Amino acid sequence: MYDSEHYDPLTPRPSGEVRDTHERKMPRGVVIRLIAYLVAGHVVAAFLYILFAVAGGNQ
């Protein structure tokens, strides 16, 4: 069985191995990066929202 941390999608599987019916876990680094990008994206979106709200209020 392959370890998800050492999974390489370019390496072919051995022919005798049966595919798992459940999904593989995502590597921890990918999960952390995904959360960081989501948080950073929301911070940038909030900044732009506040920027336009303040600029639109000075008419």
Side-chain angles (χ1 to χ4, degrees):
M1 183 169 204
Y2 285 90
D3 187 9
S4 61
E5 293 179 0
H6 304 296
Y7 176 70
D8 182 12
L10 300 177
T11 304
R13 293 176 176 230
S15 60
E17 185 177 340
V18 177
R19 296 192 95 171
D20 295 334
T21 56
H22 64 281
E23 295 182 14
R24 296 181 184 270
K25 287 187 176 181
M26 291 176 58
R28 181 176 293 219
V30 173
V31 173
I32 293 172
R33 196 175 310 131
L34 177 65
I35 292 171
Y37 288 157
L38 285 172
V39 169
H42 281 85
V43 168
V44 169
F47 172 74
L48 289 174
Y49 177 80
I50 292 170
L51 187 70
F52 281 100
V54 169
N58 292 332
Q59 291 181 2

